[in-house]
Amino acid sequence: MLTCAQRTLLLGMLLVLAGCGSPPPPPAPSPRPEPAPVARAATPSPAPAPAPVVVLDPGHNGGNADAAEEIGREVPDGRGGTKPCNTTGTATADGYTEHAFAWDVAARVTRLLEARGVEVRSTRPDDTGVGPCVDRRAAIANDAAPDGSRAALTVSIHADGATRDGRGFHVALSDPPLAPSQREPSAALGRALVAGLEEQGFTPSTYRGEAGIDRRPDLAGLSLARVPSALVECANMANPAEARVVADPAGRQRYADGIAAGILATLGR
């Protein structure tokens, strides 16, 4: 049996041994909070480009025949001279008029272009008025855009009256050119219109121009233009076969398809 002194000694040794163990591990550090994401300003989307403005010029007008004095007055021709304000245009042997043809084709071209995002303006609001004069038609294209700037291009739509055996279309351009826009920009438009009409099965004129292009100094609307410009003589209304095509809505749609294709190709659309 242990004496009291021995028990005291043994108890002290046990206490010493209990203190020799490994110390408890330190508490794990608290995780640092992730920094809040930095708010970035949204990049604004670029503003859409404004729609190109095209001016269509349907030749003549339905009231011209009853306004001889008005359409006969002289206006600037763009080359230092003057010429009559406008004319009545021609017609087929059956009485289908050039002004009605031009108005209908222009309306069809307008629908095709607007469907592709092009803004279209016309030199006349209907087919029952008088004029406008050729110098005013050019001015409409030169100042057509909403901000007062110029249109991207202008195309005048006509049908010709020649000898019965003449056939085919031609595209008139200003020559000699009087402004930069009348040089290669107008030439490119002319080539595109020829290609568009050929794609519709129409053939270049047998009686005017070369390969569908007719360079002329006598068309005031082209001489006064300061935007790419061309005048399309779609057909010879005196030719019986072509007269049937221009009087047929399906034929007029083909002309519209070809003209619209040339305009869209020029615009890169």
Side-chain angles (χ1 to χ4, degrees):
M1 174 178 282
L2 295 175
T3 64
C4 181
Q6 291 173 326
R7 286 198 300 270
T8 301
L9 178 60
L10 179 59
L11 180 59
M13 293 175 63
L14 290 174
L15 290 174
V16 171
L17 290 172
C20 291
S22 300
S30 301
R32 294 184 179 180
E34 292 292 333
V38 177
R40 298 181 181 275
T43 302
S45 300
V53 177
V54 165
V55 171
L56 296 180
D57 176 32
H60 313 288
N61 207 333
N64 284 7
D66 297 323
E69 183 175 354
E70 169 62 17
I71 68 170
R73 68 183 179 89
E74 296 292 308
V75 298
D77 68 356
R79 295 183 183 271
T82 62
K83 69 181 306 176
C85 160
N86 212 286
T87 63
T88 59
T90 188
T92 68
D94 292 334
Y96 184 64
T97 61
E98 180 185 0
H99 67 78
F101 168 80
W103 178 254
D104 183 86
V105 171
R108 295 171 186 269
V109 175
T110 296
R111 289 192 289 271
L112 292 168
L113 296 181
E114 289 181 341
R116 297 287 294 273
V118 178
E119 181 179 343
V120 182
R121 301 190 179 191
S122 177
T123 57
R124 55 185 175 101
D126 52 47
D127 193 38
T128 58
V130 176
C133 297
V134 287
D135 59 332
R136 175 60 188 153
R137 292 174 187 247
I140 290 170
N142 290 343
D143 303 308
D147 60 358
S149 61
R150 294 168 178 169
L153 58 86
T154 181
V155 174
S156 190
I157 300 172
H158 290 254
D160 205 7
T163 59
R164 284 173 56 90
D165 60 343
R167 58 183 175 80
F169 71 87
H170 57 277
V171 178
L173 302 176
S174 176
D175 188 73
L178 300 176
S181 64
Q182 296 177 17
R183 299 180 186 276
E184 177 54 25
S186 290
L189 172 60
R191 292 191 298 269
L193 290 167
V194 169
L197 289 166
E198 287 183 325
E199 287 174 1
Q200 292 300 316
F202 298 113
T203 57
S205 173
T206 60
Y207 63 94
R208 281 206 72 114
E210 182 177 352
I213 297 294
D214 186 25
R215 300 183 181 278
R216 298 177 59 172
D218 60 323
L219 297 176
L222 299 181
S223 296
L224 291 164
R226 295 299 178 262
V227 302
S229 57
L231 183 150
V232 183
E233 294 281 11
C234 293
N236 176 17
M237 298 185 91
N239 180 294
E242 295 201 335
R244 289 191 292 271
V245 177
V246 300
D248 181 2
R252 296 196 295 274
Q253 186 60 51
R254 288 171 57 208
Y255 284 114
D257 289 343
I259 292 170
I263 291 173
L264 290 169
T266 304
L267 295 174
R269 300 174 80 88

